[in-house]
Amino acid sequence: VIEAVTEDLAIKRSLLERVAPHLKASAIFSTNTSGLPVAQIGSALPVRLRARWLGTHFFNPPRYMRLLELIATQETDADVRRTVAEFADVRLGKEVVPARDTPNFIANRIGVFLMLETVRLMQAEDLSIEEVDALTGTAVGFPRTGTFRLADLVGIDVLAHVARNFPRVEAGAAEQMALPAFLETMLERRWLGDKTGQGFYKKVKGPDGVETRLALDWKTLEYRPAQKARFAALDMAKSTESVAERIHQLLAGDAARDKAARFHWRLATGLWNYTADALAEIADDVASVDRAMRAGFNWELGPFEMWDAAGVRATVERAKAAGEPVSAAAERLLAA
């Protein structure tokens, strides 16, 4: 039995209390949540059911997305966990990744952090929506939608909900994870992406019936015709087939003079520091994180694979030489 109601702790608990009396002793019971703690949701269940209770986070839409994050609690029976994992793998064709029971689990924890960090760097570097989508697309092994077109597809309200789980995870990250003012305004205006007809982009028809895509100016919150972003580094990267080689090439640019190189360097090092810090809390190993990001966000390489491509030791030494932050966890991984 899979519970898949709205992401609200009180509503989920209320439903669980009504369902529990009707479950037979051998039933397996799970919650499909994208970020709420599984043990907390099931804490009101009778003791007899807690051994057969776990989290099954199917990435949306489940018929297309391969990732299933499997979240066991301390009370979940090991045989139940293995049964669900095997069924999801063999019968459903899912990429099953075990995740720790911490809010946002693995893929959303890393993916939404990166989206928020991308927005922060866009503002810091004075880039446009279209420029960021070009920089965060296929050149670095991410989906061709880039960051903001993907957000429109997923739903900006969904991303905001996941983002608001972060302060409960990390008290010190509340400010870092706060949504920027222009995003809060978009939420208030219900500019939620494709589901409402406008978000970071919207389509309009002219008098001749021809459809034009408009892009949001995040400074003025007005729409204007979308413009093709042009970066010499991206044009050069197109001739390189391997995404690992493209990442190495893009990060080797002069960050002091080249806005695109600076953006990629700051985004990548922020991702690696954050993922290294979060690793022990969210996953069993680096391979689980990489698998979750490939299957859940359609990245060609996971964050640790990207780091390998750029050169772990070289990037850490470069960051230190520039006086930039290097997480203690990243130092430990390098030493290992």
Side-chain angles (χ1 to χ4, degrees):
V1 178
I2 303 173
E3 166 272 304
V5 297
T6 189
E7 290 283 89
D8 182 286
L9 188 60
I11 293 174
K12 286 182 178 291
R13 282 177 164 172
S14 174
L15 179 60
L16 262 56
E17 289 174 2
R18 287 157 46 204
V19 171
H22 303 283
L23 295 177
K24 61 183 180 180
S26 60
I28 295 174
F29 198 14
S30 81
T31 177
N32 181 62
T33 174
S34 61
L36 296 175
V38 174
Q40 197 174 349
I41 296 172
S43 60
L45 286 173
V47 174
R48 68 178 180 84
L49 287 178
R50 291 182 198 170
R52 308 186 69 77
W53 166 257
L54 72 169
T56 48
H57 179 208
F58 290 86
F59 258 57
N60 193 40
R63 69 173 66 184
Y64 301 120
M65 300 302 292
R66 291 184 57 239
L67 179 61
L68 169 62
E69 291 179 320
L70 195 63
I71 307 101
T73 73
Q74 292 184 346
E75 297 176 275
T76 305
D77 185 271
D79 286 339
V80 168
R81 185 177 66 246
R82 282 192 292 269
T83 297
V84 174
E86 182 178 358
F87 175 80
D89 175 16
V90 176
R91 301 300 298 273
L92 302 182
K94 295 294 180 182
E95 178 79 36
V96 182
V97 178
R100 305 274 172 86
D101 191 13
T102 54
N104 297 333
F105 313 127
I106 299 174
N108 276 338
R109 175 80 171 266
I110 302 302
V112 175
F113 162 79
L114 191 66
M115 286 187 170
L116 293 177
E117 182 70 357
T118 299
V119 173
R120 188 183 71 79
L121 289 175
M122 174 183 72
Q123 293 177 302
E125 297 292 341
D126 194 22
L127 294 164
S128 69
I129 297 292
E130 306 99 301
E131 286 176 324
V132 170
D133 275 352
L135 291 168
T136 57
T138 54
V140 290
F142 293 165
R144 63 182 180 181
T145 53
T147 298
F148 296 110
R149 183 71 193 101
L150 178 62
D152 277 354
L153 288 168
V154 171
I156 296 166
D157 54 334
V158 175
L159 297 176
H161 172 81
V162 176
R164 285 173 177 142
N165 277 341
F166 276 97
R168 293 199 291 272
V169 183
E170 306 154 356
E175 182 178 345
Q176 183 186 32
M177 297 299 173
L179 296 176
F182 82 88
L183 257 176
E184 293 284 10
T185 302
M186 291 175 69
L187 291 167
E188 290 169 8
R189 295 180 181 180
R190 302 293 294 171
W191 296 356
L192 307 180
D194 291 1
K195 69 175 79 176
T196 59
Q198 67 185 102
F200 294 109
Y201 296 93
K202 76 173 180 178
K203 293 180 179 178
V204 295
K205 282 187 178 180
D208 56 358
V210 176
E211 202 169 55
T212 303
R213 173 170 288 182
L214 305 181
L216 184 70
D217 183 324
W218 59 267
K219 297 176 185 176
T220 64
L221 287 183
E222 296 177 352
Y223 289 93
R224 49 167 178 68
Q227 300 171 357
K228 185 174 179 60
R230 298 195 178 279
F231 293 102
L234 295 185
D235 291 336
M236 291 175 62
K238 288 178 182 177
S239 61
T240 306
E241 290 189 13
S242 164
V243 66
E245 291 177 14
R246 289 200 301 272
I247 289 170
H248 184 83
Q249 178 181 327
L250 290 168
L251 291 178
D254 186 350
R257 299 182 182 181
D258 185 332
K259 183 183 286 191
R262 185 164 59 251
F263 175 87
H264 278 137
W265 171 255
R266 294 177 68 184
L267 189 67
T269 53
L271 170 65
W272 297 330
N273 276 329
Y274 183 82
T275 307
D277 280 338
L279 175 61
E281 186 181 349
I282 63 177
D284 294 339
D285 47 45
V286 296
S288 295
V289 174
D290 285 342
R291 288 199 297 125
M293 298 315 299
R294 290 198 307 267
F297 278 78
N298 287 329
W299 291 8
E300 287 190 49
L301 299 177
F304 292 107
E305 292 169 319
M306 292 173 66
W307 204 358
D308 272 344
V312 179
R313 184 173 298 281
T315 54
V316 168
E317 290 176 353
R318 176 180 167 184
K320 285 182 174 181
E324 297 170 358
V326 175
S327 78
E331 294 270 28
R332 288 194 296 271
L333 284 172
L334 181 60

